[in-house]
Amino acid sequence: MKNQEYYEQLFEPYPDVVTLDEFRAILGGIGETTARKILHGNHIKYFFIRSTYRIPKVWVIEYVLSEHYAEYRQTLKVQV
């Protein structure tokens, strides 16, 4: 099992608050529909400001370490 420090180093090149496209890239290039399902399913916290999703990188790391992601990534074609 990978830990938080690993993901902090892996996601270091990304800004502290990512957009939907950056979130998709972080998760290995998942589709926009899949990313929106994750957001709207309340599996990750986010802000919606001026028609743009804003997700703090810390919350992305929390999501990647969550049980939901552990189960959900088995169905994804791409994985982090």
Side-chain angles (χ1 to χ4, degrees), residues 2-53:
K2 298 175 182 170
N3 61 18
Q4 185 169 350
E5 291 174 6
Y6 170 80
Y7 287 112
E8 287 173 358
Q9 290 178 351
L10 184 65
F11 302 155
E12 189 174 356
Y14 293 97
D16 290 337
V17 178
V18 298
T19 63
L20 184 63
D21 289 337
E22 291 166 332
F23 174 65
R24 292 172 50 211
I26 286 174
L27 294 186
I30 63 173
E32 186 171 342
T33 303
T34 303
R36 288 177 186 267
K37 283 181 185 178
I38 292 169
L39 295 177
H40 294 288
N42 293 326
H43 300 293
I44 187 170
K45 298 180 254 180
Y46 64 91
F47 298 106
F48 191 72
I49 302 169
R50 294 187 182 177
S51 71
T52 304
Y53 291 97

Side-chain angles (χ1 to χ4, degrees), residues 1-4 6-7 63-67 69-70 73:
M1 184 78 181
K2 298 175 182 170
N3 61 18
Q4 185 169 350
Y6 170 80
Y7 287 112
Y63 173 68
V64 172
L65 295 171
S66 73
E67 279 187 38
Y69 183 73
R73 75 183 184 126

